[in-house]
């Protein structure tokens, strides 16, 4: 498998075999790290991490991954460059491409990460846009593979805003890997029609199935994985909270829902998650909406504290796996075959 020079903008651009290769490479790098085996095979390279939105996991995964591979990493935060303000994305791409061997981008527009890929001349990795979050899916799928042994035929249900970056990317990933994807959400929050059609066509080839339901309980029946994400994503105005709580509180992942799933089902979340009043937003929402919506009165929004803290919850394995999978992506696009 040779992925040298490849961008990672969306998993739509990758074959199931390529996705499986990246997951397996990550598993190997994880094991090597646990055994104290170093893999500083890219020590002559430098990468830049360009963030228009904040991050904990993605930034740290790229930084630690780069250092583990022997690379240097430069972080540019939301106020750290002129890109899009006094300098075009196209010009920024051409400047960064002269200095760096690879570029990570987190921002708003998918078209911006595509411009960076088109004009920088180096591999570009999408660290989240409004549309897609492909590196997250690799970590999620490594976690599922570790737990269930393989991805094929896993019954995966996503709760919440299914037309955001996570809903879109998980649907693509499940279609590619022959999994059974269900989105449980109000119809208005299902993925856009053209993306569903694209994924249906992929599913036909891989044996995957895609299902969309407004019935939260129906979505949990026989599921192996219950997954959710924040109800309001980065970049959305805070005014949307009210309608999102109204629409999505019946889709909160709680113990009652978990009990409807398979006995050995797991809970997953890309994080960060609202599961109590120990965040500013969680606390504000509880105060403002708790009287109207019983479900959110304790700042538990998309998931209850009981579920995220339960044995079925693999959210911190998933977070750790961001690093191993992102390291595999950088190694595959910058290195020679790793043997
Ligand atoms: N899951 C995820 O992308 O987390 P960060 O926003 O902290 O990078
Ligand atoms: N949908 C979330 C994902 C965070 C990792 C957001 O875009 O904020």
């Amino acid at each position: 498998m040779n992925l040298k020079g490849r961008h990672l903008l969306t998993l739509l651009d990758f074959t199931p075999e390529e996705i499986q290769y990246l997951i397996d490479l990550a598993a190997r790098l994880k094991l090597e790290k646990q055994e104290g085996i170093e893999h500083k095979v890219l020590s002559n390279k430098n990468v830049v991490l360009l963030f228009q939105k904040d991050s904990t996991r993605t930034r740290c995964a790229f930084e630690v991954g780069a250092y583990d591979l022997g690379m240097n990493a430069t972080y540019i935060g939301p106020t750290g460059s002129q890109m899009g303000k006094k300098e075009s994305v196209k010009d920024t791409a051409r400047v960064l491409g002269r200095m760096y061997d690879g570029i990570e981008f987190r921002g708003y527009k998918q078209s911006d990460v595509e411009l960076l890929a088109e004009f920088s001349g180096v591999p570009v990795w999408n660290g989240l846009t409004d549309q897609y979050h492909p590196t997250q899916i690799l970590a999620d799928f490594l976690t599922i593979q570790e737990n269930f042994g393989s991805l094929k035929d896993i019954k995966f249900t996503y709760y919440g805003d299914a037309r955001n970056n996570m809903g879109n990317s998980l649907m693509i990933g499940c279609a590619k890997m022959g999994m059974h994807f269900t989105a449980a959400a109000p119809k208005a929050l299902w993925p856009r029609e053209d993306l569903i059609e694209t994924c249906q066509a992929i599913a036909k080839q891989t044996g995957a199935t895609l299902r969309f339901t407004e019935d939260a309980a129906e979505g949990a029946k026989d599921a192996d994985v219950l997954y959710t994400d924040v109800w309001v994503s980065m970049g959305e105005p805070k005014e949307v909270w009210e309608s999102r709580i109204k629409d999505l509180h019946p889709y909160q992942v709680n113990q009652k829902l978990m009990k409807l799933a398979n006995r050995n089902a797991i809970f997953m979340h890309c994080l960060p998650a609202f599961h109590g009043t120990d965040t500013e937003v969680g606390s504000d929402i509880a105060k403002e909406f708790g009287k109207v919506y019983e479900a959110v009165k304790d700042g538990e929004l998309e998931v209850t504290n009981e579920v995220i803290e339960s044995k079925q919850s693999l959210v911190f394995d998933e977070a750790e796996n961001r690093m191993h999978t992102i390291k595999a992506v950088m190694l595959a696009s910058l290195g020679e075959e790793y043997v």
Side-chain angles (χ1 to χ4, degrees):
M1 186 66 69
N2 184 358
L3 300 180
K4 195 165 181 191
R6 286 280 290 277
H7 307 294
L8 174 51
L9 309 183
T10 157
L11 287 178
L12 286 171
D13 301 336
F14 283 71
T15 65
E17 293 74 25
E18 288 169 343
I19 294 169
Q20 190 62 56
Y21 168 79
L22 289 170
I23 293 168
D24 293 342
L25 178 59
R28 177 176 164 199
L29 293 171
K30 180 172 181 175
L31 194 68
E32 285 185 2
K33 180 151 174 151
Q34 282 164 351
E35 288 173 351
I37 300 168
E38 287 196 345
H39 29 246
K40 294 193 186 297
V41 293
L42 298 177
S43 57
N44 56 344
K45 302 215 185 281
N46 303 296
V47 292
V48 62
L49 317 177
L50 205 46
F51 282 80
Q52 292 179 329
K53 295 174 178 170
D54 288 328
S55 164
T56 300
R57 280 145 290 271
T58 309
R59 175 192 176 169
C60 298
F62 270 99
E63 289 205 20
V64 174
Y67 300 145
D68 279 2
L69 291 168
M71 297 195 283
N72 294 297
T74 305
Y75 171 73
I76 301 180
T79 57
S81 86
Q82 298 293 2
M83 190 176 85
K85 294 171 238 163
K86 283 170 66 183
E87 186 163 30
S88 69
V89 176
K90 186 172 164 182
D91 287 355
T92 309
R94 288 178 288 182
V95 172
L96 294 177
R98 297 291 181 108
M99 299 187 197
Y100 292 97
D101 301 285
I103 300 172
E104 181 275 354
F105 172 80
R106 164 172 288 197
Y108 299 87
K109 296 192 221 146
Q110 183 69 14
S111 57
D112 281 348
V113 78
E114 286 164 4
L115 274 175
L116 288 167
E118 186 177 352
F119 292 101
S120 65
V122 297
V124 171
W125 308 295
N126 180 355
L128 179 149
T129 61
D130 290 347
Q131 265 187 63
Y132 302 122
H133 194 8
T135 64
Q136 178 71 48
I137 310 317
L138 296 175
D140 297 341
F141 284 8
L142 171 60
T143 312
I144 293 172
Q145 182 169 293
E146 286 172 341
N147 189 71
F148 292 108
S150 86
L151 298 171
K152 184 93 185 111
D153 287 330
I154 290 293
K155 296 189 196 71
F156 184 106
T157 300
Y158 178 85
Y159 285 92
D161 182 359
R163 26 129 254 188
N164 77 7
N165 39 27
M166 286 309 305
N168 290 343
S169 300
L170 286 164
M171 176 173 70
I172 296 168
C174 288
K176 289 268 177 183
M177 303 315 284
M179 296 157 71
H180 304 292
F181 176 82
T182 299
K187 197 163 187 181
L189 299 180
W190 292 356
R192 55 178 208 272
E193 205 46 54
D194 67 299
L195 186 62
I196 293 179
E197 275 169 29
T198 303
C199 289
Q200 293 284 21
I202 298 166
K204 249 194 204 149
Q205 314 247 310
T206 62
T209 57
L210 308 180
R211 183 170 69 130
F212 304 89
T213 177
E214 292 195 306
D215 184 338
E218 177 66 30
K221 240 190 263 159
D222 299 328
D224 299 308
V225 182
L226 298 197
Y227 197 114
T228 190
D229 180 21
V230 288
W231 291 342
V232 175
S233 285
M234 288 182 279
E236 293 193 289
K238 67 177 190 333
E239 289 68 37
V240 304
W241 269 111
E242 186 164 7
S243 67
R244 229 35 90 63
I245 292 169
K246 180 169 173 274
D247 292 343
L248 288 175
H249 76 274
Y251 301 88
Q252 179 189 63
V253 181
N254 50 36
Q255 210 50 43
K256 206 171 134 204
L257 205 58
M258 287 301 295
K259 287 217 172 86
L260 298 175
N262 275 344
R263 211 163 46 87
N264 61 352
I266 59 173
F267 170 73
M268 300 182 76
H269 190 310
C270 54
L271 301 181
F274 292 114
H275 56 101
T277 47
D278 47 6
T279 59
E280 283 169 26
V281 175
S283 157
D284 291 350
I285 297 284
K287 274 190 218 128
E288 201 175 336
F289 300 104
K291 286 209 173 68
V292 187
Y293 300 101
E294 165 86 14
V296 304
K297 71 177 188 339
D298 298 319
E300 298 167 309
L301 308 187
E302 71 274 11
V303 58
T304 61
N305 195 55
E306 190 181 12
V307 167
I308 206 166
E309 297 290 359
S310 72
K311 279 209 192 73
Q312 286 171 288
S313 167
L314 297 190
V315 297
F316 297 109
D317 288 332
E318 201 182 342
E320 177 190 335
N321 284 341
R322 298 298 309 286
M323 199 281 287
H324 304 296
T325 43
I326 280 172
K327 196 198 284 186
V329 168
M330 289 192 288
L331 179 56
S333 35
L334 297 181
E336 301 305 327
E337 205 183 341
Y338 187 61
V339 280

